[in-house]
């Protein structure tokens, strides 16, 4: 009834959508936001929320089109381009993702979500030099960035530099004691050293293969979603 009485109030559609989101009804939230977006094509926060809902229910191409439909000042927000890149990742389009993240960096060259996601795409593609470059840049901006240190440890491990990998993992844990991924892998490494004190780094590495692969699987799921108000 409230919607019928005040169909021209953008906030009503957002309020109804938030209620649906709190109840886990993402598609119903998207339907409410679509109504609002048709009436208020210039309300880009509403468009961002719609894209988030569509992304959540797997309607990726539709979410991408919503983001692409933004105009003017909205396209000057690097977060919009980061989320386009995130959708490209889910669609398996690495080139599209890289373009989107690079566009975000053109708008704000120290934007950590874009730097991190770009590093992640290169890391997954096996371009370890490029990935290291972006992880390292993040650490110049935020020296305690846990995921960058952790992924650098994995990168060094994959490159065969086991000693540097362990040092980076230890740094990650020292700077972020509650960061579970680093803590878990260090426990495996320390256990191996206690159980096999006469073995060198390469032998210990082989005994820790399972631990490191648990961590390596995480690379693909730490994509940072951010939009006008944050996709966290």
């Amino acid at each position: 009834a409230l919607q019928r009485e005040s169909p021209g109030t953008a906030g009503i559609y957002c309020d109804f959508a938030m209620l649906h989101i709190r109840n886990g009804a993402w598609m119903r939230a998207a339907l409410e936001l679509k109504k609002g977006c048709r009436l208020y094509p210039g309300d880009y926060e509403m468009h961002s929320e719609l894209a988030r809902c569509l992304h959540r229910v797997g309607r990726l191409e539709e979410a991408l089109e919503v983001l692409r439909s933004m105009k003017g000042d909205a396209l000057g927000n690097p977060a919009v381009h980061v989320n386009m890149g995130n959708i490209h990742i889910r669609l398996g389009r690495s080139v599209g993702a890289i373009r989107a993240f690079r566009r975000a960096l053109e708008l704000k060259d120290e934007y950590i979500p874009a730097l991190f996601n770009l590093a992640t795409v290169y890391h997954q593609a096996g371009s370890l030099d490029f990935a290291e470059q972006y992880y390292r840049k993040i650490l110049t901006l935020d020296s305690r960035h846990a995921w960058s240190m952790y992924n650098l440890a994995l990168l060094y491990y994959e490159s065969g530099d086991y000693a540097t990998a362990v040092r980076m993992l230890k740094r990650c844990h020292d700077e972020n004691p509650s960061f579970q991924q680093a803590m878990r892998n260090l426990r495996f490494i320390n256990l191996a050293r206690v159980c096999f004190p006469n073995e060198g780094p390469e032998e210990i590495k082989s005994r820790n293969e399972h631990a490191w692969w648990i961590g390596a699987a995480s690379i693909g799921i730490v994509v940072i979603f951010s939009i006008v108000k944050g996709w966290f």
Side-chain angles (χ1 to χ4, degrees):
L2 183 57
Q3 287 173 289
R4 289 193 293 272
E5 291 169 9
S6 306
T9 304
I12 290 177
Y13 293 103
C14 290
D15 291 344
F16 272 87
M18 293 304 108
L19 287 172
H20 290 313
I21 288 171
R22 281 197 288 271
N23 291 326
W26 290 85
M27 195 61 232
R28 292 185 69 183
L31 293 174
E32 294 292 345
L33 290 167
K34 281 183 180 181
K35 297 173 189 175
C37 287
R38 282 194 293 270
L39 286 172
Y40 298 91
D43 190 324
Y44 293 113
E45 288 193 11
M46 192 183 301
H47 281 70
S48 298
E49 282 298 316
L50 174 57
R52 181 169 76 104
C53 291
L54 292 169
H55 180 276
R56 183 63 180 260
V57 298
R59 296 176 70 160
L60 303 180
E61 294 285 6
E62 194 174 348
L64 195 56
E65 285 306 311
V66 170
L67 294 175
R68 284 173 173 162
S69 72
M70 294 183 174
K71 297 179 178 65
D73 292 344
L75 290 180
N77 187 328
V80 172
H81 299 278
V82 166
N83 281 299
M84 289 184 189
N86 294 336
I87 293 171
H88 280 299
I89 287 175
R90 285 199 60 189
L91 289 167
R93 301 172 185 165
S94 296
V95 173
I98 289 170
R99 285 175 180 162
F101 298 143
R102 287 191 178 278
R103 177 57 183 149
L105 291 173
E106 288 173 6
L107 295 168
K108 186 177 180 181
D109 62 359
E110 295 184 347
Y111 190 55
I112 287 178
L115 290 167
F116 183 81
N117 287 0
L118 194 53
T120 301
V121 172
Y122 281 126
H123 196 164
Q124 290 177 314
S127 299
L128 302 187
D129 289 343
F130 283 119
E132 180 182 11
Q133 172 188 333
Y134 287 109
Y135 290 138
R136 286 286 182 186
K137 183 168 183 178
I138 292 168
L139 292 177
T140 67
L141 302 170
D142 178 2
S143 62
R144 299 181 65 250
H145 195 274
W147 277 112
S148 291
M149 284 187 276
Y150 182 68
N151 281 2
L152 269 173
L154 295 174
L155 184 152
Y156 292 132
Y157 171 79
E158 292 160 11
S159 302
D161 189 350
Y162 181 67
T164 304
V166 173
R167 284 197 297 272
M168 183 58 69
L169 191 64
K170 187 174 187 307
R171 175 185 166 188
C172 179
H173 176 62
D174 290 345
E175 295 281 354
N176 304 276
S178 62
F179 188 67
Q180 292 296 319
Q181 287 77 5
M183 185 186 304
R184 178 177 56 192
N185 281 286
L186 279 174
R187 283 173 180 165
F188 275 97
I189 292 167
N190 291 334
L191 179 61
R193 284 175 170 164
V194 170
C195 295
F196 308 101
N198 298 320
E199 294 188 357
E202 289 304 314
E203 289 80 9
I204 291 177
K205 182 180 78 170
S206 67
R207 297 185 184 278
N208 284 276
E209 194 77 27
H210 177 63
W212 282 97
W213 277 111
I214 290 173
S218 299
I219 292 176
I221 60 171
V222 295
V223 175
I224 301 170
F225 286 88
S226 61
I227 199 69
V228 177
K229 290 188 175 179
W231 280 19
F232 297 102

